Amino acid sequence: QAKSEGKGKLCFFDRGMQERVARRLRLEEDIQRGLDAGEFVAWYQPQFDHRGRIIGAEALARWLHPEQGTLAPGAFIDVAEGSGLMNRIDHMVLQSACRQMARWAQLSEFGSFTLSVNIGASRLYQAGFVEEVLQVFTQTGVDPGCIKLEITESMLLDDMPGAIDRMQALKAHGVRFAIDDFGTGYSSLLYLQRLPLDQLKIDQSFVQALPHDDNSLGIIKAIIGMAQSLGLEVIAEGVETDAQRTQLYQLGCHRYQGYLLSRPEPAERLQALMQSPRYG
Ligand code: C2E
Ligand code: MG
Ligand code: MG
Ligand code: MG
């Protein structure tokens, strides 16, 4: 198509591409600078039980950008993954989450609290991954039993036996595992029962289609059924309305994460919430 539009258009098209490449490069450099400057931090989105108590939180990467304000991963994850910088961001988030959890574990309000951390798409298979995670536990002094690592179904497709080995090596130290965005991949019951799992996280696309979408309702029922037959916890993410929460409760899902209950917040805000009588 570009050809039939003549040389001028081709040139224009090239410049557009050049501009995109240049923008990626600038972003990559900016991420690098931001990492060196300590601008990447972990924020925490609390998770609630059906009585409205906080039972844990998910650590989520945020970039406190000096000019652009607080940026969520959507603004940098593609470029960070493409350039290998996501490993540094992941490491930083794991480290600060574990350090924070070690501090929180000293407070009585955090008695049975678990902190979930996202594992990047290719990290499970990188050489030294297990050792790196164990080293962070040792350095921060966190009880690995308070940490839950979130993986996705697609991460398991490449090398299932390898994934099981690594997960089991960490599991031996007490770490828990959740499958994030569950329902968007291809997991079968047979497949799931081989993994050392603790939790399925219902993907937010299904949750947000409640209460009127029958397909999503069917998928959610199936996920809850799978979790029950495998003896796993189930949590819904992206819960935005009371109607969604009520329906999830009726279907047998009793753990919730979503804007209805709380947005991701800096550590101090979550701590204040935990220490207020309403949530403890
Ligand atoms: P995720 O792990 O599935 O995390 C849930 C995402 O949904 C978060 O987006 C959260 O802010 C958002 N969310 C929570 N409740 C609601 C809700 O009620 N409505 C809506 N619309 N959204 C809600 P966030 O923080 O932008 O992160 C996006 C994704 O980036 C995460 O999805 C995760 O896949 C990835 N990510 C975040 N932090 C890290 C990290 O430290 N390392 C890696 N590798 N990936 C990360
Ligand atoms: Mg997650
Ligand atoms: Mg998710
Ligand atoms: Mg997601």
Side-chain angles (χ1 to χ4, degrees):
Q1 195 197 345
K3 211 175 194 177
S4 67
E5 283 170 6
K7 270 191 169 159
K9 279 278 159 63
L10 250 178
C11 195
F12 177 76
F13 180 70
D14 276 351
R15 222 182 292 137
M17 258 174 58
Q18 263 175 28
E19 181 43 46
R20 275 197 299 282
V21 171
R23 213 184 303 137
R24 270 185 92 91
L25 272 174
R26 277 199 302 276
L27 180 53
E28 197 178 313
E29 277 169 18
D30 201 27
I31 294 172
Q32 200 129 31
R33 184 201 52 73
L35 272 163
D36 294 337
E39 291 167 9
F40 286 83
V41 299
W43 278 19
Y44 301 89
Q45 185 177 32
Q47 301 172 331
F48 294 79
D49 70 9
H50 63 283
R51 292 176 304 176
R53 301 231 165 116
I54 297 175
I55 49 174
E58 177 175 9
L60 294 159
R62 290 292 180 271
W63 184 1
L64 307 180
H65 196 281
E67 283 133 35
Q68 296 172 53
T70 303
L71 301 178
F76 56 83
I77 203 163
D78 283 349
V79 170
E81 261 165 7
S83 60
L85 291 167
M86 199 60 209
N87 281 332
R88 280 183 67 191
I89 297 173
D90 272 346
H91 186 81
M92 201 284 315
V93 170
L94 179 68
Q95 206 166 34
S96 40
C98 289
R99 199 178 294 127
Q100 189 59 62
M101 188 63 238
R103 278 192 219 121
W104 279 337
Q106 316 277 316
L107 306 173
S108 59
E109 296 87 354
F110 285 79
S112 55
F113 187 93
T114 46
L115 193 53
S116 298
V117 182
N118 293 284
I119 294 302
S122 58
R123 282 188 93 219
L124 195 56
Y125 301 108
Q126 272 157 20
F129 170 72
V130 170
E131 293 73 16
E132 180 194 324
V133 173
L134 291 177
Q135 194 186 19
V136 171
F137 293 159
T138 313
Q139 276 170 358
T140 57
V142 75
D143 169 5
C146 299
I147 300 297
K148 195 178 277 157
L149 299 178
E150 295 191 357
I151 58 176
T152 59
E153 290 166 276
S154 59
M155 287 168 62
L156 300 168
L157 293 176
D158 294 344
D159 173 15
M160 179 81 163
I164 293 174
D165 280 354
R166 274 131 197 255
M167 288 169 76
Q168 257 152 6
L170 290 168
K171 188 95 194 162
H173 293 264
V175 182
R176 298 175 214 202
F177 285 96
I179 300 204
D180 203 356
D181 306 337
F182 192 75
T184 59
Y186 305 92
S187 308
S188 67
L189 269 175
L190 189 70
Y191 186 86
L192 287 175
Q193 72 168 1
R194 295 173 52 200
L195 296 166
L197 289 175
D198 299 276
Q199 186 183 66
L200 300 181
K201 273 190 109 163
I202 304 172
D203 188 66
Q204 49 183 288
S205 60
F206 307 121
V207 172
Q208 284 164 12
L210 294 179
H212 301 300
D213 182 290
D214 287 342
N215 282 329
S216 296
L217 182 63
I219 292 167
I220 290 174
K221 280 184 184 161
I223 294 173
I224 294 170
M226 277 171 119
Q228 281 165 353
S229 30
L230 292 164
L232 304 177
E233 269 180 15
V234 63
I235 184 169
E237 71 179 346
V239 181
E240 292 187 350
T241 69
D242 210 41
Q244 288 162 358
R245 182 177 50 180
T246 304
Q247 196 172 20
L248 285 159
Y249 178 78
Q250 286 161 353
L251 294 169
C253 173
H254 301 165
R255 294 178 180 82
Y256 320 95
Q257 181 182 338
Y259 294 169
L260 172 70
L261 298 150
S262 171
R263 298 209 166 226
E265 306 270 14
E268 316 79 69
R269 294 273 289 275
L270 172 57
Q271 184 170 325
L273 211 55
M274 279 299 278
Q275 292 177 326
S276 78
R278 198 174 151 206
Y279 296 102

